[in-house]
Coordinates of all heavy atoms in Angstrom, one line a residue:
Chain A
D613 N -29.7 26.2 -26.5 CA -30.6 25.9 -25.4 C -29.6 25.7 -24.2 O -28.8 24.8 -24.2 CB -31.4 24.7 -25.6 CG -32.3 24.4 -24.4 OD1 -32.1 24.9 -23.3 OD2 -33.3 23.7 -24.6
P614 N -29.8 26.6 -23.1 CA -28.9 26.4 -22.0 C -28.9 25.0 -21.4 O -27.9 24.5 -20.9 CB -29.5 27.4 -20.9 CG -30.5 28.2 -21.6 CD -30.8 27.6 -23.0
L615 N -30.1 24.3 -21.4 CA -30.1 23.0 -20.9 C -29.2 22.0 -21.7 O -28.7 21.1 -21.1 CB -31.6 22.5 -20.9 CG -32.5 23.1 -19.9 CD1 -33.9 22.4 -19.9 CD2 -31.9 23.1 -18.5
D616 N -29.1 22.2 -22.9 CA -28.2 21.4 -23.7 C -26.8 21.6 -23.3 O -26.0 20.6 -23.2 CB -28.3 21.7 -25.2 CG -29.6 21.2 -25.8 OD1 -30.2 20.3 -25.3 OD2 -30.0 21.8 -26.9
I617 N -26.5 22.8 -23.0 CA -25.1 23.1 -22.6 C -24.8 22.6 -21.2 O -23.8 22.0 -20.9 CB -24.9 24.7 -22.6 CG1 -25.1 25.2 -24.0 CG2 -23.5 25.0 -22.1 CD1 -24.3 24.6 -25.1
I618 N -25.8 22.7 -20.3 CA -25.7 22.2 -18.9 C -25.5 20.7 -19.0 O -24.6 20.1 -18.3 CB -26.9 22.6 -18.1 CG1 -26.9 24.1 -17.8 CG2 -26.9 21.8 -16.8 CD1 -28.1 24.6 -17.0
E619 N -26.3 20.1 -19.8 CA -26.2 18.6 -20.0 C -24.8 18.2 -20.5 O -24.2 17.3 -20.0 CB -27.3 18.2 -21.0 CG -27.2 16.8 -21.6 CD -27.9 15.8 -20.7 OE1 -28.7 16.2 -19.8 OE2 -27.7 14.6 -20.8
K620 N -24.3 18.9 -21.5 CA -23.1 18.5 -22.1 C -21.8 19.0 -21.4 O -20.8 18.2 -21.3 CB -23.1 19.1 -23.5 CG -22.0 18.5 -24.5 CD -22.3 18.9 -25.9 CE -21.0 18.9 -26.8 NZ -20.3 17.7 -26.9
Y621 N -21.9 20.2 -20.9 CA -20.6 20.7 -20.3 C -20.8 21.0 -18.8 O -19.8 21.2 -18.1 CB -20.3 22.1 -21.0 CG -20.0 21.9 -22.4 CD1 -20.9 22.3 -23.4 CD2 -18.7 21.5 -22.9 CE1 -20.6 22.2 -24.7 CE2 -18.4 21.3 -24.2 CZ -19.4 21.7 -25.1 OH -19.1 21.6 -26.5
G622 N -22.0 21.1 -18.3 CA -22.2 21.4 -16.9 C -22.6 22.8 -16.7 O -22.2 23.7 -17.4
A623 N -23.3 23.1 -15.6 CA -23.8 24.4 -15.3 C -22.6 25.3 -15.0 O -22.6 26.5 -15.4 CB -24.8 24.4 -14.1
D624 N -21.6 24.8 -14.3 CA -20.5 25.7 -14.0 C -19.8 26.1 -15.2 O -19.3 27.3 -15.3 CB -19.5 24.9 -13.1 CG -20.0 24.8 -11.6 OD1 -20.7 25.6 -11.2 OD2 -19.6 23.8 -11.0
A625 N -19.6 25.2 -16.2 CA -18.9 25.6 -17.4 C -19.7 26.7 -18.2 O -19.2 27.7 -18.6 CB -18.8 24.4 -18.3
L626 N -21.1 26.5 -18.2 CA -21.9 27.5 -18.8 C -21.7 28.8 -18.2 O -21.5 29.9 -18.8 CB -23.4 27.0 -18.8 CG -24.4 28.0 -19.2 CD1 -24.3 28.4 -20.7 CD2 -25.8 27.5 -18.9

Side-chain angles (χ1 to χ4, degrees):
Chain A
D613 184 341
L615 288 187
D616 288 337
I617 302 304
I618 291 175
E619 166 88 14
K620 193 169 154 60
Y621 299 101
D624 283 334
L626 171 63

